[in-house]
């Protein structure tokens, strides 16, 4: 997940949308899981939507990752 700006800034100051991309072991681009581009930007809602889309993608390809012991 990537927002294109400094993560230590308060969410209200963020101006770039979140996105999530898959890359191979050598850095080669594989796919876009989520490409946020809301207008106007609501940084908190965009981050939540991105995380939700990533979890849905993981669930589709790997099963329910949130129920695994390491996430309890």
């Amino acid at each position: 997940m990537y927002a294109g700006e400094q993560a230590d800034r308060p969410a209200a100051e963020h101006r770039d949308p979140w996105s999530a991309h898959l890359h191979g072991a050598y850095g080669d681009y594989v796919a876009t899981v989520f490409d946020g581009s809301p207008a106007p930007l609501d940084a908190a809602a965009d981050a939540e939507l991105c995380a939700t889309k990533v979890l849905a993608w993981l669930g589709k390809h790997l099963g329910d990752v949130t129920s695994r012991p390491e996430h309890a």
Side-chain angles (χ1 to χ4, degrees), residues 20-42:
H21 306 278
L22 297 176
H23 295 271
Y26 297 103
D28 50 320
Y29 169 82
V30 175
T32 297
V33 175
F34 175 75
D35 191 10
S37 55
L41 178 67
D42 177 340

Side-chain angles (χ1 to χ4, degrees), residues 14-18 34-43 45-46 49:
H14 283 229
R15 299 292 175 253
D16 292 338
W18 285 89
F34 175 75
D35 191 10
S37 55
L41 178 67
D42 177 340
D46 192 47
L49 180 58

